[in-house]
């Protein structure tokens, strides 16, 4: 390896480090939490995305409009579509989030986002950064909150996945040193770990949860996971009434399938990539990634999304209208809870549970032999309007 190549790699690393130091220094100055109850109107943007996105986004929007009918009529809430986040537009503009789209997004207090295709090496598209990841970084949506609940099995987990650091933060800035050597970088900061841990403990405290568990691989990834764990326990000391413990990611992955132990976990805090992986596994127990919602929370704004991808194959095969909108409707429910309507969110969750897990009068299987997304959404809305909703849900849950 010639020394000029090594020098270029060092320069690359140096620049990246400077950018990250700037980012982390800014964390200390981040503003206070926005108070949604003072906004008039509260502006909700819908980002349809691509693939099956526009299909499930339309259904989720229908649910939101139904639930917020009163506020929409009185002008207390505004719901609008934000276009331009399709892979075609992103590719044509050569930008993960084109500038005009980002400017538009920033006009909204919260957004509900459909899946967006993420290109990878070898695709016909330019190898753009993931839209989700870019939005999380641009809007500093540092907490990815993912609940997984299976009431009949006593499972009630809430994952707090750190959303702006770790391997994800530097995913587009890896370095290829000649044909044979590739390096990626991982970053964890104390302020970054502090704020995600604090949010998890605050959530536990507010919601009567008694245990918060941190997941790392600090015995092997000593520096970054070591810092994460150390700061998690530092925050934990401020919440003496809540039990704090930690597990390694490998055994935690195993414990989630251990029927005797898994219901004991309550609130989990993880660095970005472990959180990405573990939440897909967890969602699978609940009925698949199609059933789980995800909240990307920052102090000044928040974005709610389905946890799955854009399923371009379903569109190619003409099956997009059979895509399951549950995950995005679940995200809509999280949005409702976040902006100050927890009771309506709870009712929507109950309707989704009844339709997707218990009664299952009609079911979606992604094909014309099952229900369409629209039919399923009508089914959910029928339950929302049903006065017997809560009693029925309680009966099912037992
Ligand atoms: C998720 C998704 C995203 C991620 C992808 C689509 C970039 O898997 O939200 O979990 O990796 O974070
Ligand atoms: Mg994921």
């Amino acid at each position: 390896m010639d020394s000029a190549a090594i020098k270029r790699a060092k320069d690359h690393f140096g620049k990246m480090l400077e950018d990250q130091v700037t980012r982390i220094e800014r964390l200390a100055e981040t503003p206070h939490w926005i108070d949604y109850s003072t906004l008039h109107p509260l502006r909700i943007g819908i980002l349809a995305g691509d693939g099956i996105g526009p299909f499930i986004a339309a259904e989720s929007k229908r649910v939101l409009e139904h639930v917020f009918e009163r506020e929409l009529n009185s002008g207390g809430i505004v719901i609008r579509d934000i276009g331009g986040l399709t892979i075609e537009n992103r590719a044509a503009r050569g930008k993960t989030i084109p500038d005009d789209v980002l400017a538009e997004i920033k006009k909204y207090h919260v957004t509900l986002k459909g899946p967006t295709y993420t290109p990878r090496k070898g695709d016909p598209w330019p190898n753009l950064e993931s839209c989700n990841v870019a939005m999380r970084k641009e809007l500093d949506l540092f907490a990815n909150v993912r609940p997984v609940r299976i009431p009949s099995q006593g499972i009630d987990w809430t994952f707090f996945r750190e959303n702006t650091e770790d391997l994800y933060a530097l995913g587009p800035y890896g370095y290829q040193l000649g044909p044979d050597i590739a390096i990626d970088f991982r970053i964890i900061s104390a302020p970054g770990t502090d704020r995600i841990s604090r949010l998890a403990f605050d959530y536990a405290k507010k919601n009567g949860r008694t245990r918060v568990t941190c997941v790392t691989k600090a015995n092997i990834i000593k520096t970054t996971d070591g810092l994460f764990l150390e700061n998690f326990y530092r925050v934990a000391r401020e919440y003496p009434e809540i039990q704090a413990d930690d597990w390694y990611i490998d055994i935690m992955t195993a414990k989630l399938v251990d029927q005797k132990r898994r219901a004991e976990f309550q609130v989990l805090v993880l660095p970005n990539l472990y959180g990405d992986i573990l939440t897909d596994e967890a969602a699978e127990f609940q009925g698949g990634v199609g059933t789980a919602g995800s909240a990307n929370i920052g102090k000044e704004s928040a974005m709610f999304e389905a946890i799955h991808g854009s399923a371009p194959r379903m569109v190619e095969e003409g099956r997009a209208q059979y895509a399951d909108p549950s995950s995005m409707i679940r995200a809509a429910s999280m949005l409702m809870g976040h902006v100050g309507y927890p009771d309506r969110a709870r009712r929507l969750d109950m309707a989704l549970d009844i339709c997707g897990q218990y009664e299952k009068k009609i079911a979606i299987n992604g094909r014309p032999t099952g229900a369409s997304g629209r039919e399923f959404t009508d089914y959910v809305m029928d339950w929302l309007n049903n006065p017997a909703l809560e009693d029925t849900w309680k009966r099912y849950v037992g």
Side-chain angles (χ1 to χ4, degrees), residues 30 41 46 50 73 78 102 106 153 202 210 228 245 247 273 276 337 340 355 365:
T30 44
I46 313 273
D50 42 53
N73 288 334
V78 165
L102 183 61
K106 287 187 174 166
Q153 293 179 28
D202 281 342
T210 54
F228 194 91
D245 66 342
W247 291 67
L273 183 63
D276 175 49
C355 299
N365 61 13

Side-chain angles (χ1 to χ4, degrees), residues 146 161 276 280 307:
R146 299 183 161 182
R161 163 186 174 192
D276 175 49
D280 266 16
I307 88 164

Side-chain angles (χ1 to χ4, degrees), residues 5 57 145 147 156 209 216 234 256 267 349:
V145 185
D156 187 349
R209 317 309 313 270
T216 67
R234 206 170 40 74
L256 283 199
V267 176
D349 282 334

Side-chain angles (χ1 to χ4, degrees), residues 23 30 73 88 127 173 262 276 316 324 376 389 392:
R23 178 184 67 79
T30 44
N73 288 334
E88 290 80 9
N127 199 0
Y173 309 110
R262 61 182 181 179
D276 175 49
E316 280 157 32
D324 189 347
F376 184 80
L389 173 71
T392 310

Side-chain angles (χ1 to χ4, degrees), residues 122-177:
D123 272 358
W125 306 109
N127 199 0
L128 294 170
E129 185 183 16
S130 143
C131 244
N132 306 39
V133 176
M135 247 181 105
R136 293 166 187 167
K137 284 192 212 166
E138 280 293 345
L139 304 175
D140 200 24
L141 308 175
F142 66 91
N144 196 319
V145 185
R146 299 183 161 182
V148 169
R149 293 193 188 100
I150 310 168
S152 56
Q153 293 179 28
I155 290 178
D156 187 349
W157 298 321
T158 311
F159 294 87
F160 285 78
R161 163 186 174 192
E162 201 292 320
N163 219 13
T164 50
E165 303 201 328
D166 192 358
L167 282 155
Y168 273 75
L170 303 172
Y173 309 110
Y175 197 80
Q176 180 118 17
L177 191 69

